[in-house]
Structure formats: C-alpha cells, structure tokens
Amino acid sequence: MGIIYLLILVSVALAIFFLVAFVWAIKSGQYEDDYTPSIRMLFDDEIKKENGEI
Amino acid sequence: MVYQIINENGLDNYYSIEDKPGIKPAEKNAKFNFLKNEELAGSLLEFQSEQTNNISLFLPQIHCSSCIWLLENLPKLHKGVTYAQVNFVSRNAYVSYNPKDISLYELSVLLDSIGYPPVFEKKKKAEKTINKSLLIKLGVTGFCFGNIMLLSFPEYLGLKDDVSEPVKQFMQVLIFVLSIPIITYTALDYLKSGLKSIRAGAFNIDVPISIGILTLYIKSTYDILALNNASYMDSFAGFIFFLLIGKWFQSKTYSSLSFERDYKSYFPIGVTKLKEGKEEIIGLDEIEIEDEISIKNEEIIPADALLLNDFAQIDYSFVTGESTPVSINKNDKIFAGGKLIGTAINIKVLSSVKQSYLTHLWNQDTFKKQESKYAQISNVLSKRFTIGVIVIAIISAVSWLFIDTTKIIDIVVSVLIVACPCALALAVPFTFGTVMRFYGKRKFYIKNIFVIERLSRITDIVFDKTGTITQTDKDSIEFTGDQLTSIELDCIGSLVKQSSHVLSKSIYHSITINNTLNVSSYKEEIGKGISGLIDGKHTLKIGSSDYLNIESTKEETAVHVSINNEYKGKFIFSNTYKVGIASLIHNLKKDAALHVLSGDNESERENLEELFAQKEQLNFNQQPLDKLTYIKNLQEQGKSVMMVGDGLNDAGALKQSDVGIVVTENTFNFTPSSDGIIEANSLIDLDKIIRSSKKSIVILAICYAFSICYNVVGLCFAVSGNLTPLIAAILMPLSSIFIVVLSTLLVSRSFQKHYPKKDKSSSNKN
C-alpha cells in the first residue's frame, strides 16, 4: 500500500508543474494576443531575404 | 491561396514604400509636432535609455494580415528601429528603437507615411492586470479543485473500507493543504466584497456566497482535522471554480475599443506656443490664459480663444453637430473642440483647457452615473434569499430541538451550505455574457453586461440627427433653377475646382464635367463666395445669397450661381438618411417614444416629420447643453432614456442618458464615452437589440426559477438531516452546470429566432 503515497505525491507534483507553466504563460502575455502569432508564422524566411536584398 | 495573397499584398506594399522618400516634408506632419518636445515624448515611452527606447503604439489602421507583415518588417525600413511586434487584436505595435538614429517624431512620421498614423493617448493599464490575475486565480482554483476531486474518489466510489486508515488520513490532510490557496487567495475577493456589502448595510450576491463559503470551509476543516472524516472540500473548491468561470465569462471586453474616453482624447497632446516670435511646443496642461498658440490645418482648438488672424474656418461638427464649417473673423471667439480647416492661424487663449466651454460640459458632476441606481436584479433577490435562508435555518433548528438535539448544529450547517447560491450567482454572468457575445457578433459592442439590463427598460429613445440617422459626408446635392447646359456645368465645375471650401468640393463631385476650362481672374471672398472669368467669356459668381445680392429667407444650406450676371439657380444641400432607417423607426415606435435632437437648423424638419410620422419631439438648433437638459428632463419624468449619437456634441447627453450608444462608421474612430458602440450599418437592428435585451431578462428569470428549485431540493436534504458530502458534491456542481447550459442555450435559441445572422463570414475578431 506504501506505493500509493508516492503515486499521489508524483501526481500532485506533476499537476503543480503544469500549474506553474500556466501561470508563466499568463504572465508572459501569451493569452493577450491569440491572433497575430498565427499569422506571423506564415511569413516565410525566404521572402524576407528577397526583400532584404532590395 | 490566402498565403499567396498575403505575400503579394505585403510585397506590393513594400515596394510602394521604397518608392516614396522615407520621410515626408515636416509641414505635412504638423500633427506630430508635439513629439518634438522631449518631455512629452518621454512620457509616452514605456522604457527609455540611451541606446533603446520602447513604446507601445496604438495604430488604428491595422486591419489585415499584411499589415502585421509590413509593420513587423519596420526594422528593414529604418535602421533606427530595432524591433517591432504587432498585437493585431488590440491594434497595438510594440516598437523598440534607437533614439540616436530615429526620434519618436520621425518614427511617427514614418508610420504615417506608410499608412499607419499612430494615435497617442494616455492609457490606463489597470484592466489588463485584472484580467491576468483572474486567469491565474482560475488556474490555481482549477488545479486545487481537480486534485481534491481526485483524492475524494475513494469516497465517491464507496471504497471507504478498502483504503487503510493512514492512507485515508494522508489524503484528507492533502485535501486540506490543497484547499488553503483557495480560501486565502482565490476566494478572498468574494469574502471581502461580502463583508464590505454587510458593512454598507446592503446585501449583494456576495453575502450569501460568503456565508456559504465560510460555513463550508469551517465545517470541512473541522471534519478533517478533528474528526478525520470525509469533508465537503470538493464542493467548496468546485463552487469557487464555477464562480470564477462565471466572472471570467462576463468579463469579456473589447480590448481595442474604449468606452471611457475623456475630452483629452480629442485634443492634441501638445500644442505650438508662440513666445517672442519663437515656436515652442508645450503640453496641453501647460496652456495658460493669454498664451498665443499656432494651430495648423486639421488641428483641434484646445481651449476657448480669440482669433488673431483675419479669417478662419472652423468645423464645429464635434461640438455642435452642425456639419457646415463656420467662418470666424478677427477677434471673434473660437470655442475649444473646433477643428481648423485651411491655413494655419494664431489664437490667443481665453481660458484654460479645463475651463473651456466644451470640457466644462464633460466634467459636469451630473455625469457621475450612480451605478447603485440600477440595482441589479440579483442584488434585490440575494437580500430576500439571505433572509429566507436564515429563517429556514432557524426553523429547522427549532424543529430539530424536538427530534434530536445533538444534530442541531449539523442541520444548521448543512442548510447554510446547500443554500449557497452558486447557480443563482452564475445565472447573470452566463445569460448576459452570452447576450453580449451575440451583440458583438452583430457589431454592437457594450461596455459591460449591466448595460443589457438597462437596455431592457428603455422607454424613450433620443436620436441625434447628424451622422446618426443621416449619412455623414454624403449630403445629397440638388440644383434648382434653370436647366444648366453642359457648357455651363463645365464652367461651374472649373470654377469650384479652384476653391478648397467644403461646399465647393461637394459641388465639384456632384456634377458631371466634360472639359475643365481655363479660369482667369479668380477671386475668392472667404466666407462668401468665389468668382472668375471662365474661358475668357463667362463671368461666374458662386456663393451665398449675400454675395450674389439676392434675397433668401428660407433656412437651408444653399449655394447660388450666376453666370454673366444672370441668376441661374442654387445648389441645395440636404441630408440623406441611412438606408433602412424608416423601417427601424416604424419598428421602434411600437416599443418606445422617439425624440430627435439636432444641432442643425430647421431645414430638415419636413423630411424628419415624414420619416418619424410625428410632429412633436423633433428639436432643432440644440446646443450640447440643451441636449443634456432635454435628457435630464425626460429622466425626471421617470423615463428611462436611450441616447443614440455620434459626436462630441452628444457627449453630455450620452453620459446623462441611461444607455448612451455611439454610432460610428469605424469602431476605431474616437468615440465619446458611452455604454455601447454600434457600427453604423448595424444601427438598423436597434429594434432587435432592444427586443432581445427584454428577452434576456425573461431568460434570466427562468434560470432563477430553476436555481431556486435546486436550492429547495438541496434544502430538503439538509433539513431532513440527510446531506452527506457525497450528495453535496453531486448536487452543487450539477445545479451550476445546469444553469450554465440552460442560460446559454436559451439565449442562443432566442437570438437565432428573432435576430437571424446576416453575415456569417464576417465574424469579429475582438
């Protein structure tokens, strides 16, 4: 039965890890703009270079 | 495909910028002159050092994905810019630049030249942090709730006897530890608000909630620590979790819209002061009486002042709603809020910015809307609710006195626990929150959910005329008089083309011209009219009735024409009404009394009488203060007034009214502070908006009825002494989820039925 202590503690620790990750995500402003990054990733590197040469 | 278009657009834009000289001549960008003042510019920065300055710029023109591309490539356009990141949702760009290579002024000019003039406003940051902390609270509570539930599973499954005593004890202690962050951090707001409300002698919904929370928590702590029993902690955590979700759902805000603008948003941040012949840029607050200020074309007059030049044209449409510019002569008074049209002028300030006529109006005390006046339905209910619960608790305590005295405390506690109005507290945020989202999809944005309740009680609707029910800048122009030949039209067109007057421009655009003819000896008498010799043959005079020496008694905006000293007729300017406005008025009349307040003259009276099918309550020549008092009078008669307006001239009335709605062509334009912003095209849905707000009150009542049913069932368990942690854990979340689903479903159904979606593709991205 002793293993149950370890299992519970591991599961709580895991959950705490995700909670910390969530808080970090909020604090770093990831939820403030949920639209722009989806567009930004479409900007191709290649085209940027092409423009850079002009 | 889309990807290709983005890139093509982006490229096209990019080339067009490269063709242009990077920075336009400075005179054209006089509107950014105040940024040359280092102190003012510095106050706008977020971070300042020798090498790097950071600033968050509001660029209302951001509208498509190639805008993001273009702006984020700003470092390639100017080597001084080191970094640029766009937030599309709030129309902001975060820019870092090196102040040695580019100043804020140059940066603004650069942005303006590529089509994104930055708008400078002193912003408040409070709202964002509130939202952030709510999300964190939600996360923490969710974490605690989930884990407590997990640890309570043996209890749910009836495995009590299969778990050994030390393991059980360990789980209970862990549950208790997990509950600590909830009571000390996430639930604290409710307790504080409940306490505050009791101290103020009022009962808001937080009072019964606080009572429930505290009894739940104290009872559970006692069970765990003293008795080592199963506790109600899972119900407790779940309860707080649902409450926070409700709060989050109703806190939906339109981050790119502002409902709380004050007069300062309209005025430039800085002005050019003339001091001993030198120009100096000072902040708005530093303007003193007797200062001489230079105002450039399109700039707004910041304070009441005297004109020092011979002549100026001021567009007062902000202040009075009058769409035609007013001519001002030397030493005449100019009121703050007017916009200069034409060449630069010098003015002498008569009063400070705060004391000027317009700003004075804004700062009137009457505007401090007493929110308590609109006692929310839930507050009235919660008072009765709290009293009812206490009465039930006492009655059950007394009756158990005769059955089993040992159980009295248990019974009272379970009554208080189960009566916790979680479902009641969720009904408002979810019903109104859903309505708010539906409004948003139909381009009607409201400040907060409480506006809906006020909306449903509207008895009178007051319209501003200009820009609200008429099309802005689209006056219809009609010529009455002799039939004009095409040569005569050419003559008129060629002459008015020379003038920069607004009316001349409108005429030029309204007539068909085949040839542009040569104009000689052109003369413009400012404020009166223009004359000239066309093609060397025809002498033309175009202008006011005074200018042509004819008599005119009718109140109308007209421009008269004579050719070779022979009177030909006049162009009459009249308003065009928005499409669909007639049927809107027809529908609205069923629900509310309609009024019109217009800043313009009576020339439109006949048209309006026909449109509204009523002769009374149409008022003309209304000054901003008149509008305000008109609304106040209506309210004193016990009426609930909605004001629909657009400009600064309506600002007072909008604030005074119970629901102030601003109509705007572009939601990112400046709008005076209001309760709601509606896009001009959606105005014709106003009747549906009001009707659906009434529906939502009915839905709210249904939700209340259901949540009270749940409470009655729960109370039956409690009073009979059968409330176990298991039953509480089932009953309480179930009622919450039921209310959430019910309110959301009912609102969606009523919207789909009464307010069919017109345009599915243009979902809004706010």
Side-chain angles (χ1 to χ4, degrees):
Chain A
M1 217 44 201
I3 191 71
I4 197 87
Y5 295 110
L6 184 68
L7 282 176
I8 289 172
L9 285 177
V10 166
S11 86
V12 172
L14 206 64
I16 287 176
F17 169 75
F18 281 113
L19 178 68
V20 170
F22 179 66
V23 171
W24 169 78
I26 291 169
K27 290 216 162 153
S28 65
Q30 291 185 24
Y31 290 89
E32 270 162 41
D33 184 4
D34 49 8
Y35 180 73
T36 325
S38 67
I39 299 299
R40 191 175 294 134
M41 66 171 278
L42 295 174
F43 301 146
D44 216 59
D45 281 345
E46 223 176 317
I47 284 161
K48 271 187 185 173
K49 261 180 216 160
E50 207 179 294
N51 286 319
E53 284 159 12
I54 295 162
Chain B
M1 271 310 283
V2 176
Y3 175 67
Q4 232 173 356
I5 293 163
I6 290 171
N7 279 303
E8 275 167 15
N9 281 346
L11 279 167
D12 287 344
N13 273 339
Y14 191 83
Y15 287 129
S16 67
I17 303 144
E18 286 293 290
D19 287 346
K20 284 180 201 163
I23 294 165
K24 284 182 182 177
E27 305 89 68
K28 281 189 182 169
N29 292 292
K31 58 179 166 179
F32 296 124
N33 266 346
F34 63 90
L35 292 173
K36 285 178 182 165
N37 180 323
E38 297 227 331
E39 205 181 310
L40 270 178
S43 69
L44 296 164
L45 295 173
E46 290 198 348
F47 173 80
Q48 196 170 13
S49 76
E50 268 180 40
Q51 295 293 324
T52 339
N53 280 0
N54 293 345
I55 187 167
S56 179
L57 293 163
F58 179 49
L59 309 172
Q61 300 298 328
I62 296 177
H63 63 281
C64 65
S65 32
S66 55
C67 299
I68 305 172
W69 187 85
L70 183 63
L71 286 168
E72 299 207 337
N73 277 317
L74 213 55
K76 292 206 178 95
L77 293 183
H78 197 290
K79 68 180 169 75
V81 181
T82 47
Y83 176 76
Q85 193 181 15
V86 175
N87 183 332
F88 187 84
V89 182
S90 60
R91 263 82 176 159
N92 265 309
Y94 189 79
V95 180
S96 282
Y97 62 94
N98 189 337
K100 282 179 187 158
D101 293 329
I102 184 167
S103 71
L104 186 56
Y105 170 75
E106 285 161 346
L107 179 68
S108 306
V109 173
L110 173 69
L111 284 168
D112 190 34
S113 72
I114 58 174
Y116 304 97
V119 174
F120 292 96
E121 239 182 291
K122 296 203 170 147
K123 287 182 286 186
K124 300 149 212 156
K125 284 214 153 168
E127 204 161 288
K128 248 184 193 165
T129 46
I130 287 171
N131 229 334
K132 263 189 188 178
S133 84
L134 181 61
L135 275 178
I136 291 175
K137 278 179 186 167
L138 201 56
V140 171
T141 317
F143 157 79
C144 296
F145 175 47
N147 281 290
I148 291 173
M149 263 191 34
L150 210 64
L151 295 167
S152 306
F153 249 82
E155 205 68 36
Y156 297 159
L157 302 175
L159 301 176
K160 254 186 240 172
D161 306 326
D162 300 335
V163 184
S164 68
E165 202 51 40
V167 173
K168 225 162 99 183
Q169 210 171 346
F170 173 70
M171 283 173 157
Q172 291 300 337
V173 170
L174 202 57
I175 285 176
F176 176 68
V177 171
L178 283 169
S179 74
I180 291 173
I182 299 183
I183 193 81
T184 55
Y185 174 50
T186 62
L188 212 60
D189 285 346
Y190 291 100
L191 298 179
K192 273 185 191 163
S193 153
L195 193 70
K196 215 164 119 191
S197 155
I198 288 175
R199 273 198 194 143
F203 279 87
N204 64 10
I205 190 90
D206 289 338
V207 176
I209 287 177
S210 300
I211 295 175
I213 291 174
L214 284 178
T215 3
L216 254 177
Y217 193 73
I218 294 166
K219 163 88 171 145
S220 305
T221 312
Y222 177 73
D223 282 351
I224 291 173
L225 298 181
L227 307 174
N228 192 24
N229 269 343
S231 67
Y232 295 94
M233 279 306 184
D234 48 346
S235 306
F236 166 72
F239 184 34
I240 304 292
F241 187 60
F242 280 116
L243 281 178
L244 287 173
I245 287 181
K247 208 176 185 181
W248 170 75
F249 194 79
Q250 73 168 15
S251 74
K252 157 100 178 163
T253 48
Y254 301 102
S255 55
S256 51
L257 300 182
S258 175
F259 296 98
E260 302 288 355
R261 282 185 221 274
D262 63 1
Y263 62 90
K264 281 188 181 154
S265 321
Y266 285 89
F267 293 162
I269 293 177
V271 290
T272 318
K273 181 180 161 184
L274 295 172
K275 204 176 169 188
E276 291 154 8
K278 273 187 201 162
E279 288 197 353
E280 186 193 346
I281 293 152
I282 57 166
L284 202 61
D285 298 330
E286 294 164 49
I287 299 176
E288 280 166 24
I289 297 170
E290 299 283 296
D291 275 359
E292 261 186 62
I293 292 174
S294 159
I295 304 283
K296 310 242 164 33
N297 186 20
E298 301 270 297
E299 265 187 0
I300 291 182
I301 317 287
D304 294 351
L306 281 186
L307 181 66
L308 296 177
N309 296 50
D310 288 335
F311 177 79
Q313 278 211 317
I314 309 288
D315 175 7
Y316 275 128
S317 57
F318 259 177
V319 189
T320 58
E322 186 92 43
S323 38
T324 336
V326 178
S327 303
I328 306 241
N329 294 319
K330 191 167 182 172
N331 284 333
D332 278 354
K333 199 173 174 189
I334 309 178
F335 291 106
K339 191 161 86 178
L340 177 71
I341 295 176
T343 49
I345 53 165
N346 293 337
I347 54 171
K348 191 164 154 197
V349 177
L350 287 178
S351 61
S352 71
V353 176
K354 277 191 188 124
Q355 247 101 53
S356 289
Y357 172 67
L358 183 75
T359 46
H360 186 64
L361 197 67
W362 272 70
N363 295 334
Q364 284 212 352
D365 287 341
T366 47
F367 293 159
K368 283 173 190 150
K369 217 180 252 185
Q370 291 166 332
E371 287 291 333
S372 60
K373 201 169 103 190
Y374 311 103
Q376 302 146 26
I377 298 174
S378 58
N379 282 2
V380 181
L381 254 172
S382 68
K383 186 172 181 178
R384 289 182 197 160
F385 191 85
T386 317
I387 296 167
V389 168
I390 291 169
V391 168
I392 291 172
I394 292 168
I395 291 172
S396 49
V398 171
S399 29
W400 276 86
L401 205 63
F402 302 106
I403 307 167
D404 186 354
T405 39
T406 55
K407 274 193 164 177
I408 287 180
I409 290 176
D410 272 355
I411 299 293
V412 171
V413 165
S414 16
V415 166
L416 292 179
I417 287 172
V418 87
C420 202
C422 185
L424 209 62
L426 285 174
V428 170
F430 274 90
T431 311
F432 286 165
T434 320
V435 172
M436 193 170 168
R437 280 168 169 74
F438 270 101
Y439 282 161
K441 273 186 198 155
R442 285 154 181 82
K443 316 270 183 203
F444 174 50
Y445 312 102
I446 52 174
K447 189 163 94 183
N448 55 38
I449 57 166
F450 305 115
V451 175
I452 299 168
E453 207 183 309
R454 276 180 262 154
L455 207 56
S456 70
R457 280 189 252 143
I458 291 300
T459 57
D460 285 70
I461 303 171
V462 179
F463 287 98
D464 166 53
K465 190 192 66 141
T466 321
T468 307
I469 51 180
T470 60
Q471 302 266 38
T472 18
D473 304 331
K474 270 183 203 157
D475 287 344
S476 72
I477 301 163
E478 222 180 314
F479 185 80
T480 53
D482 304 348
Q483 187 70 38
L484 293 170
T485 63
S486 68
I487 297 166
E488 283 169 334
L489 276 174
D490 287 350
C491 291
I492 294 168
S494 313
L495 186 64
V496 291
K497 201 184 169 190
Q498 306 293 320
S499 163
S500 63
H501 193 281
V502 189
L503 294 181
S504 306
K505 279 184 182 164
S506 310
I507 293 175
Y508 181 72
H509 288 296
S510 72
I511 56 178
T512 31
I513 301 154
N514 299 322
N515 304 301
T516 311
L517 304 167
N518 182 33
V519 180
S520 56
S521 64
Y522 169 78
K523 242 170 65 190
E524 179 161 1
E525 262 188 72
I526 291 168
K528 285 182 172 169
I530 49 177
S531 63
L533 190 66
I534 316 292
D535 223 11
K537 296 183 272 203
H538 313 285
T539 25
L540 256 78
K541 272 178 111 178
I542 300 175
S544 68
S545 49
D546 290 348
Y547 187 63
L548 272 80
N549 286 324
I550 48 163
E551 270 181 41
S552 172
T553 44
K554 249 182 132 182
E555 277 213 65
E556 59 189 4
T557 311
V559 173
H560 303 264
V561 180
S562 81
I563 298 175
N564 295 330
N565 286 324
E566 192 190 329
Y567 183 68
K568 286 287 174 189
K570 58 192 174 185
F571 289 96
I572 298 172
F573 291 76
S574 60
N575 302 119
T576 36
Y577 292 93
K578 278 183 181 148
V579 187
I581 209 87
S583 65
L584 168 71
I585 286 166
H586 180 72
N587 288 335
L588 278 178
K589 280 196 123 178
K590 294 174 198 158
D591 294 328
L594 304 182
H595 309 253
V596 174
L597 296 176
S598 172
D600 283 347
N601 56 38
E602 298 228 2
S603 61
E604 282 290 310
R605 179 175 269 280
E606 274 176 38
N607 285 338
L608 277 173
E609 278 175 5
E610 197 184 321
L611 189 66
F612 279 82
Q614 65 187 34
K615 281 194 194 287
E616 294 79 36
Q617 296 165 352
L618 305 176
N619 303 280
F620 297 91
N621 298 317
Q622 296 280 310
Q623 293 296 307
L625 198 62
D626 299 337
K627 293 187 178 184
L628 173 67
T629 17
Y630 189 84
I631 303 243
K632 225 191 225 167
N633 286 341
L634 280 177
Q635 284 174 332
E636 273 160 17
Q637 292 164 33
K639 287 178 174 151
S640 189
V641 187
M642 175 199 263
M643 172 80 203
V644 186
D646 69 329
L648 201 55
N649 59 317
D650 305 319
L654 285 167
K655 278 192 153 188
Q656 176 66 38
S657 63
D658 296 84
V659 180
I661 293 177
V662 173
V663 183
T664 172
E665 299 282 336
N666 175 355
T667 32
F668 302 106
N669 276 353
F670 278 137
T671 48
S673 70
S674 57
D675 297 306
I677 297 174
I678 190 165
E679 273 192 18
N681 299 334
S682 299
L683 184 70
I684 48 169
D685 290 332
L686 196 66
D687 56 324
K688 290 170 197 147
I689 285 170
I690 293 175
R691 217 162 293 155
S692 56
S693 74
K694 287 181 178 162
K695 265 261 146 52
S696 67
I697 300 289
V698 176
I699 292 168
L700 192 64
I702 296 172
C703 292
Y704 276 159
F706 270 98
S707 86
I708 285 171
C709 284
Y710 261 103
N711 271 310
V712 170
V713 173
L715 280 171
C716 291
F717 277 102
V719 173
S720 62
N722 288 324
L723 186 79
T724 60
L726 186 62
I727 290 178
I730 295 168
L731 204 63
M732 294 176 76
L734 202 66
S735 68
S736 306
I737 292 168
F738 184 77
I739 290 300
V740 168
V741 172
L742 184 76
S743 63
T744 320
L745 272 183
L746 283 178
V747 171
S748 314
R749 265 202 55 191
S750 98
F751 262 84
Q752 261 143 26
K753 204 166 145 197
H754 297 282
Y755 200 160
K757 228 181 235 181
K758 272 182 290 177
D759 190 4
K760 241 183 177 177
S761 58
S762 70
S763 71
N764 199 280
K765 287 215 174 62
N766 269 305

